[in-house]
């Protein structure tokens, strides 16, 4: 199986500690985090993805221009860190090497322009600054233990 993620969720997964928009959203994200930690492949998609699923009834922000711009900026940042193109259809393996590289870049704020305007930015900044304690995707980097 493959987990379908939009580009900015490649950043969100780095700091997910069990907080979210609703209990249903958090439980869905926890299930996805377990799958990512087990090494299930990620396929990049445009627009709402597997993480967005619980939010898609009602007035979901998932379709907003600011979120689409966040995806564009995140794809560019991840491409710079990985040294390979990141676009719709790209498949990534969330192994320890990739997660450590992305977390190092995120902690150093190289990827943070994609987070501008996000309501979770302060939480993510705090998790990164503290060395990623309690993250649910993969494990915290050695320097964060």
């Amino acid at each position: 199986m493959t987990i379908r993620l939009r580009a900015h969720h490649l950043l969100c997964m780095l700091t997910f500690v069990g907080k979210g928009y609703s209990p249903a959203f958090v439980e869905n994200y926890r299930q996805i985090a377990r799958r990512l930690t087990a090494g299930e492949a990620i396929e990049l998609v445009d627009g709402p993805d597997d993480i967005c699923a619980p939010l898609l009834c009602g007035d979901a922000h998932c379709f907003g221009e600011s979120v689409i711009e966040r995806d564009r900026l995140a794809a560019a940042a991840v491409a710079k860190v990985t040294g390979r193109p990141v676009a719709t259809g790209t498949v990534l393996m969330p192994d320890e090497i990739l997660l450590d590289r992305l977390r190092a870049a995120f902690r150093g704020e190289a990827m943070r322009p994609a987070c501008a305007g996000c309501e979770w930015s302060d939480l993510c900044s705090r998790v990164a600054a503290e060395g990623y304690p309690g993250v649910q995707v993969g494990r915290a980097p050695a320097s964060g233990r």
Side-chain angles (χ1 to χ4, degrees):
M1 300 244 326
T2 301
I3 298 167
R4 300 169 59 251
L5 292 185
R6 64 189 313 158
H8 84 264
H9 283 156
L10 294 172
L11 306 185
C12 299
M13 73 178 185
L14 302 173
T15 59
F16 177 65
V17 291
K19 307 278 185 196
Y21 298 103
S22 70
F25 177 87
V26 170
E27 181 52 34
N28 179 62
Y29 208 147
R30 282 188 176 130
Q31 290 175 18
I32 291 169
R34 285 190 289 273
R35 291 169 57 196
L36 290 167
T37 299
E40 195 167 324
I42 297 167
E43 179 183 358
L44 271 285
V45 297
D46 281 332
D49 62 9
D50 293 340
I51 290 174
C52 298
L55 301 175
L56 294 180
C57 49
D59 186 25
H61 71 269
C62 306
F63 299 101
E65 287 299 319
S66 65
V67 179
I68 293 167
E69 177 65 3
R70 191 168 295 135
D71 286 334
R72 186 187 71 71
L73 293 170
V78 171
K80 189 171 184 178
V81 171
T82 62
R84 62 179 275 207
V86 175
T88 300
T90 297
V91 175
L92 298 168
M93 296 306 295
D95 58 24
E96 189 175 326
I97 293 168
L98 177 64
L99 293 173
D100 284 352
R101 287 175 72 194
L102 292 176
R103 284 191 172 117
F106 190 86
R107 188 173 192 183
E109 301 201 8
M111 305 173 112
R112 300 313 296 279
C115 304
C118 176
E119 67 185 274
W120 300 101
S121 186
D122 289 343
L123 172 66
C124 297
S125 293
R126 190 169 51 255
V127 169
E130 293 172 0
Y132 300 97
V135 293
Q136 294 189 19
V137 175
R139 59 181 178 78
S143 62
R145 286 188 203 144

